[in-house]
Amino acid sequence: MRAISHVMAGSLLGLALMAGMTMPSLAQKNSTNAASTVDFGDDSSDWAKDGECDDPRFTGTGAASELVDADLMKDATDCKAAFEAGTVTLKEGGTSPADIAIASPINAIDFGDDSSEWAKDGECDDPRFTGTGSATELVDADRLKDATDCKAAYEAGTITLVEGGEIPPAATATTAAVDFGDDSSEWAKDGECDDPRFTGTGSATELVDADLMKDATDCKAAFEAGTITLKDGGSTAVATTTEIDFGDDSSEWANDGECDDPRFTGTGTADELVNADRMKDATDCKAAFNAGTVTLKNGGSTPVAAIDYGNDSSEWANDGECDDPRFTGKGVASTTLAEDIKKDATDCREAVEAGRAVYNGEQQATAFDFGSDFSKWANDGECDDLRFEGAGVDKKLLSEDLMGDATDCRTLLDEGKISIRLVYTPEYAAGAPYDGSDIDFGDNSSSYANDDECDDPRFEGPGTATTLLDSDRLADADDCRSAYEAGTIVLIES
């Protein structure tokens, strides 16, 4: 959550080392490591005095699970107490400057030139960089073309090179390799590319699937001018009807004139799509696909034979349920975690082959509202939204950051490093009503009872109050029962 401070500290140290400056030892080293010989620093960290030692020079049960260099010597009270209690020790007797990550020296970076149309606008538009100083929308056409802005932002510490290093130019499809189609769109030859396979400043503001491969002249010109690129590296080929398994018509919404299969997107799909209808609206979806009003998302579903199931290293492997959150269905565990991705191969393969699970690829986010980036921790490489769980989620989540870290959370979800907590998924709410007859909801003795929010701390979800108190346990029965049945909360402890 404090990646910018981390990078600034590393950059300053790196420049100092390059100039031949000497740096004082960050901690005194001796054989006894008595508390009196350790410089614990001060309490200027955001996480100071929280009962955990956040200084990355220390290790042990008293240290926070997540440690960053920005907190070096900035959690004195916690670390000193833990050190004296014996729950932390100095790593290998202390930390030397050489142990600290150093950002790429500025003179080692080729910032390119200022040929982007967005050059010198106060934002870095080069997609090789990330941070608060970067523009919101980055495209490959601006790679190495916003030198002044990016160099200034890098020097100010508001951007860093993606993953801390120079990224080679992306392998981009050549004009000859792209099938631009024809000019049959009503918007063809209007000076804008209307084909939704492309993105960039040369694209029209509104793109629809009906114009797929139907604005060849505009799109080819824009592609050659570098004002558009193929989305996600692009797809130079479009799936044909014969390559797609549309399934059957077993959905209750089959044959209603709309495609209800969530594998598809476009004007011909239903407004609400749920995984339960995957491959169950064949007639509607095939007709819409042939008419050009729907296309397969990301090229469509992955054939069973092409799925990478991984291994059986999950603690829940071989228990008869698929615990990988990339799958959904009756054969999938009710609660899945990002940490089990590709770690329950046998169970998941058997469930898919038996028709009790379907592979969703990366979690579908089309119906999920990620919010925006208003959190002060947005764009720091960690997801700070409490609706998510997994290795990519920050350790300290606040209700004030709900729906406030969209870019980080969307990126990490797509990478499989986090997952949406079950109760916050669109599919869970769509599965209501739920039977709560086996749950003891207690009574209505809470002073907050009957306020349309569940105040019982045994539950979590969008239907709970922001602040939950232990004194309200089993004391808000009507509110919690209603929310549970509506699918806006789940029981997390009995």
Side-chain angles (χ1 to χ4, degrees):
M1 182 175 283
R2 295 143 293 184
I4 294 173
S5 297
H6 178 184
V7 171
M8 288 178 68
S11 299
L12 290 172
L13 181 56
L15 291 171
L17 290 172
M18 290 171 61
M21 295 172 63
T22 59
M23 298 294 289
S25 174
L26 294 175
Q28 299 180 34
K29 296 184 181 181
N30 57 48
S31 58
T32 60
N33 278 334
S36 60
T37 69
V38 179
D39 182 1
F40 290 95
D42 55 40
D43 284 320
S44 57
S45 166
D46 286 340
W47 311 113
K49 300 181 180 180
D50 65 351
E52 294 181 311
C53 175
D54 293 277
D55 187 330
R57 296 177 300 155
F58 297 87
T59 185
T61 57
S65 56
E66 180 184 346
L67 300 173
V68 296
D69 287 327
D71 290 324
L72 197 78
M73 299 181 69
K74 293 183 179 179
D75 193 15
T77 301
D78 286 334
C79 296
K80 185 176 181 181
F83 188 87
E84 292 175 339
T87 58
V88 299
T89 57
L90 277 165
K91 294 178 181 176
E92 298 181 358
T95 303
S96 66
D99 294 324
I100 301 174
I102 300 174
S104 299
I106 194 166
N107 60 3
I109 299 172
D110 179 7
F111 289 95
D113 55 40
D114 285 320
S115 57
S116 166
E117 66 176 301
W118 309 113
K120 300 182 179 180
D121 65 351
E123 295 181 311
C124 176
D125 295 278
D126 187 329
R128 297 176 303 152
F129 297 87
T130 185
T132 57
S134 288
T136 304
E137 182 179 345
L138 301 173
V139 295
D140 278 334
D142 291 322
R143 185 180 292 270
L144 286 157
K145 293 182 180 180
D146 192 15
T148 300
D149 287 335
C150 297
K151 185 175 182 181
Y154 191 86
E155 289 174 335
T158 59
I159 61 170
T160 59
L161 277 165
V162 175
E163 297 184 355
E166 187 78 35
I167 306 299
T172 305
T174 63
T175 304
V178 179
D179 181 1
F180 290 95
D182 55 39
D183 284 320
S184 57
S185 166
E186 64 176 306
W187 309 112
K189 300 182 179 180
D190 65 352
E192 294 181 312
C193 175
D194 295 279
D195 187 328
R197 296 178 299 156
F198 297 87
T199 184
T201 56
S203 288
T205 305
E206 183 178 346
L207 301 173
V208 295
D209 287 323
D211 291 323
L212 195 78
M213 298 183 69
K214 294 182 180 179
D215 191 15
T217 300
D218 287 335
C219 297
K220 184 176 181 181
F223 188 86
E224 291 175 341
T227 58
I228 61 171
T229 57
L230 278 162
K231 292 178 180 176
D232 301 323
S235 173
T236 59
V238 179
T240 63
T241 305
T242 56
E243 296 171 338
I244 300 172
D245 181 3
F246 289 94
D248 55 41
D249 285 322
S250 57
S251 166
E252 64 176 306
W253 309 112
N255 297 306
D256 64 352
E258 293 182 313
C259 174
D260 295 279
D261 187 329
R263 297 178 300 156
F264 296 86
T265 185
T267 56
T269 61
D271 292 331
E272 184 178 344
L273 300 173
V274 295
N275 270 320
D277 291 323
R278 182 179 292 268
M279 298 182 70
K280 294 183 180 180
D281 192 15
T283 301
D284 286 335
C285 296
K286 185 174 183 179
F289 186 89
N290 288 333
T293 59
V294 301
T295 58
L296 276 166
K297 294 176 182 175
N298 300 322
S301 58
T302 304
V304 171
I307 299 173
D308 180 5
Y309 290 96
N311 55 43
D312 285 321
S313 58
S314 167
E315 66 174 305
W316 309 113
N318 297 306
D319 65 351
E321 290 184 313
C322 173
D323 295 279
D324 188 328
R326 297 177 300 155
F327 299 83
T328 56
K330 293 181 179 179
V332 178
S334 58
T335 301
T336 56
L337 303 174
E339 63 194 48
D340 289 322
I341 289 176
K342 295 186 179 181
K343 294 183 179 180
D344 193 16
T346 301
D347 287 335
C348 296
R349 181 182 291 107
E350 291 177 353
V352 169
E353 292 174 349
R356 295 183 294 108
V358 292
Y359 173 68
N360 300 317
E362 302 302 337
Q363 282 191 260
Q364 297 297 324
T366 53
F368 184 80
D369 184 1
F370 285 89
S372 59
D373 286 325
F374 65 78
S375 167
K376 68 176 179 177
W377 308 114
N379 296 305
D380 66 350
E382 292 179 311
C383 176
D384 296 281
D385 189 329
L386 57 78
R387 297 177 298 164
F388 297 84
E389 60 187 354
V393 175
D394 188 70
K395 66 175 182 177
K396 296 173 182 176
L397 301 175
L398 306 174
S399 58
E400 64 194 48
D401 293 320
L402 187 76
M403 298 183 70
D405 194 14
T407 301
D408 284 334
C409 299
R410 186 191 301 273
T411 300
L412 290 163
L413 180 65
D414 288 342
E415 292 174 352
K417 295 178 181 177
I418 64 172
S419 59
I420 305 170
R421 291 182 185 274
L422 176 65
V423 69
Y424 291 102
T425 62
E427 293 81 10
Y428 188 78
Y434 292 94
D435 181 12
S437 59
D438 60 341
I439 298 175
D440 180 7
F441 289 97
D443 55 38
N444 290 309
S445 58
S446 167
S447 57
Y448 299 104
N450 297 307
D451 63 353
D452 295 324
E453 290 183 316
C454 175
D455 295 279
D456 188 329
R458 298 178 301 150
F459 297 87
E460 75 169 9
T464 63
T466 302
T467 302
L468 300 174
L469 306 174
D470 215 49
S471 57
D472 290 323
R473 186 180 296 269
L474 286 159
D476 192 15
D478 289 345
D479 285 335
C480 296
R481 181 182 294 106
S482 297
Y484 184 88
E485 292 174 349
T488 60
I489 64 172
V490 292
L491 184 68
I492 57 175
E493 59 177 283
S494 58

